[in-house]
Amino acid sequence: MSARSTRTGACTAADARTRRRQAELYLEAAVLVQSEDLAEAATVATGNAVLAAIAAADAICCALAGVRSRGQDHRQAIGLLQEVTGDAALARALREVLDLKDAGHYGLSNVSQSNCTAALRRAQALVDAASTRVR
């Protein structure tokens, strides 16, 4: 998928920093919520991990290419992220987090602790990548 086949929006270095910080905060919230002893905690934490991953991908793409994915389908961001970074592992981490988006945001059944932990780990990798690429 090329950036041309993905609906994108222009963004600046300042936008990249804003999205990086939002990603960090979403991830902090996810970690905090995951520690709660509630049946719904893993689901809410996963939802925040998804938001962290999306924001981190936006930050990276803004910083490196001056665009971010703006399509209704968040999966379009996967191809753009890989195209911009050349990093298949990073794109795979985004894809795997997005696989839990529906469950974390709209599901009626709770996300398992193991899926939540995996989502947090992948979101952390994306936030770390944003931290090294966005100044």
Side-chain angles (χ1 to χ4, degrees):
M1 172 183 297
S2 74
R4 280 172 272 199
S5 65
T6 301
R7 183 172 164 236
T8 59
C11 48
T12 66
D15 296 328
R17 290 188 296 275
T18 295
R19 290 300 279 158
R20 183 202 67 221
R21 185 64 184 135
Q22 290 169 348
E24 293 164 350
L25 291 169
Y26 281 130
L27 188 59
E28 286 178 30
V31 170
L32 180 65
V33 170
Q34 186 191 30
S35 70
E36 294 293 322
D37 188 23
L38 299 169
E40 300 81 11
T43 301
V44 174
T46 299
N48 277 291
V50 169
L51 294 172
I54 292 167
D58 283 353
I60 293 165
C61 291
C62 286
L64 299 181
V67 296
R68 65 184 179 134
S69 180
R70 297 296 297 144
Q72 290 287 64
D73 182 359
H74 289 295
R75 294 188 165 288
Q76 291 178 342
I78 299 165
L80 181 62
L81 182 64
Q82 180 155 354
E83 182 178 319
V84 166
T85 64
D87 189 334
L90 203 57
R92 185 173 47 256
L94 180 58
R95 184 182 66 246
E96 290 171 354
V97 172
L98 288 175
D99 284 347
L100 294 170
K101 183 181 185 317
D102 283 350
H105 288 165
Y106 313 113
L108 297 176
S109 299
N110 287 318
V111 173
S112 70
Q113 267 308 326
S114 62
N115 281 341
C116 178
T117 298
L120 287 169
R121 188 173 46 251
R122 291 175 182 111
Q124 182 69 64
L126 286 152
V127 170
D128 289 347
S131 294
T132 63
R133 290 173 168 91
V134 179
R135 298 285 169 207

